Amino acid sequence: MEGVLAGDRGVLAQAITLLESRLPSDRELAEQILEAIFPESGKSVRVGITGVPGVGKSTFIEALGTHVTEVLAEKVAVLAIDPSSQLSGGSILGDKTRMPKLSVNPRAFIRPSPARGSVGGVAQRTREAVLVCEAAGYGNIFIETVGVGQSETMAATMVDFFLLLMLAGAGDELQGIKRGIIELADLVAITKADGDNRRPAEIAQREFSRALGLFPLPPSGWPPRVMTCSASQGKGIAEIWDAVQDYARHARASGYLERRRREQNREWMHELIAQGLRERFLADPAVQAKLVELERAVVEGRTTSLGAARELLDE
Ligand code: GDP
């Protein structure tokens, strides 16, 4: 607890490991830590960063993180939500080897995605990790997700600002990214705007600007921007961070940031209730006694899913 508040990276890593543990005794301690650090949390800019594999996320985060830590001398924590890691057993996001410079930077803390648990569980652990990083003095939190699944909708429920990375001229304008995600974006950055790709990136920027202009103004009142960057050449990175800062100033002054976070806390409470109910239900001895038999009955077609679920819920 003192180690976290003192900003000790080793203690911070241990605290997050404790949050990810599934042992009931660890959970109890984790909740005590969360309650204790809660008053010290919240003082950061929380930025969600998403994009399909290969779009340049790790190179971008490395460049942006280096800008924030070295030029601005501020601290950055990089967390990841990667539900695919439960299948592969390892995490492709937030992997230190993908960000070699940032991972040895004393002002940066990089944490891969929790490798186990449901999408909701992984997202919840990340949400808790955000609070602990903030208490440890990280004023900038990046939450990295792959822009293909449920994870960025989850990320959107825990960040202040959503940054979508896209490639120019990759055929399909949406590149497998669900349409809804574009509407979540506060900023679209067209990556790899260098060499032969510079012109196409600029064209894509104009097209996306026009497309985003068709959407109604988001609740923040801050019109989403489309910018180009080249992370490998360090171009456009400072400008993108300036835009994030501009948004943060605007959202703080208007009271939107405060409202958004309160609303996120309310949603979080409901998620925790749903999760807690499910856990208690499944831990109930009467339910456990019947569950296996009823599962088999459903699989063998002797009863319906509906009937079996109702019987268990009635227990
Ligand atoms: P991720 O899978 O989204 O994390 O993407 P990476 O950051 O690993 O980048 C994928 C590939 O694109 C790598 O080969 C990078 O070297 C390359 N790349 C990333 N950023 C840039 C850039 O700004 N310009 C160019 N030309 N290539 C880049």
Side-chain angles (χ1 to χ4, degrees):
M1 167 65 196
E2 281 78 24
V4 170
L5 296 180
D8 183 316
R9 280 201 294 180
V11 176
L12 177 59
Q14 277 173 18
I16 295 178
T17 302
L18 189 70
L19 296 176
E20 290 171 3
S21 165
R22 290 179 157 189
L23 292 176
S25 56
D26 284 349
R27 194 61 213 158
E28 211 169 290
L29 186 56
E31 285 182 12
Q32 283 172 14
I33 291 179
L34 283 172
E35 292 288 349
I37 56 99
F38 196 74
E40 303 303 321
S41 68
K43 297 166 206 154
S44 79
V45 180
R46 304 170 182 167
V47 182
I49 300 177
T50 198
V52 294
V55 73
K57 284 182 300 303
S58 46
T59 315
F60 177 83
I61 293 174
E62 170 109 324
L64 185 63
T66 302
H67 172 72
V68 174
T69 51
E70 287 181 4
V71 181
L72 306 176
E74 292 179 22
K75 284 166 73 173
V76 172
V78 182
L79 307 170
I81 307 179
D82 178 11
S84 66
S85 61
Q86 59 185 301
L87 299 178
S88 60
S91 176
I92 48 160
L93 295 182
D95 181 349
K96 293 184 186 188
T97 58
R98 294 167 65 234
M99 301 163 195
K101 257 177 88 183
L102 206 54
S103 63
V104 295
N105 185 318
R107 291 200 187 96
F109 176 78
I110 301 180
R111 181 78 182 188
S113 187
R116 284 170 304 150
S118 60
V119 186
V122 169
Q124 192 202 321
R125 299 294 169 261
T126 306
R127 201 175 266 136
E128 294 172 350
V130 168
L131 302 179
V132 182
C133 288
E134 288 174 345
Y138 288 83
N140 304 283
I141 314 276
F142 298 167
I143 299 180
E144 183 188 11
T145 63
V146 182
V148 285
Q150 242 183 315
S151 52
E152 44 296 313
T153 333
M154 292 279 182
T157 66
M158 63 182 90
V159 298
D160 306 320
F161 187 91
F162 207 67
L163 208 164
L164 174 63
L165 302 183
M166 296 200 84
L167 278 171
D172 172 19
E173 286 293 71
L174 303 184
Q175 294 166 48
I177 292 189
K178 284 184 298 180
R179 247 192 101 69
I181 295 168
I182 304 226
E183 288 167 62
L184 289 178
D186 296 295
L187 195 152
V188 176
I190 314 289
T191 57
K192 308 188 193 180
D194 47 53
D196 290 345
N197 212 22
R198 221 186 90 194
R199 282 275 305 145
E202 286 164 0
I203 293 168
Q205 181 204 4
R206 278 196 295 276
E207 282 173 1
F208 271 108
S209 293
R210 206 174 307 132
L212 281 185
L214 299 176
F215 290 125
L217 206 59
S220 65
W222 195 83
R225 293 186 193 170
V226 184
M227 303 172 80
T228 59
C229 67
S230 166
S232 57
Q233 296 191 355
K235 290 211 178 103
I237 302 295
E239 289 78 1
I240 288 174
W241 190 245
D242 285 347
V244 176
Q245 295 303 305
D246 183 65
Y247 169 92
R249 268 191 302 277
H250 172 92
R252 276 201 195 97
S254 69
Y256 173 76
L257 191 70
E258 178 72 22
R259 280 204 305 285
R260 176 164 170 158
R261 287 189 173 181
R262 283 180 192 209
E263 182 54 28
Q264 288 173 339
N265 285 339
R266 195 182 67 88
E267 282 171 27
W268 187 6
M269 181 191 79
H270 281 288
E271 260 171 56
L272 289 172
I273 292 173
Q275 219 165 299
L277 281 175
R278 188 184 163 86
E279 273 163 23
R280 285 187 203 183
F281 171 77
L282 292 174
D284 184 82
V287 170
Q288 283 182 346
K290 275 193 169 178
L291 186 64
V292 176
E293 166 49 25
L294 279 169
E295 267 179 346
R296 195 178 304 132
V298 169
V299 170
E300 291 172 1
R302 285 183 280 115
T303 184
T304 62
S305 312
L306 192 69
R310 186 174 302 134
E311 189 174 334
L312 285 167
L313 287 170
D314 285 345
E315 281 298 330

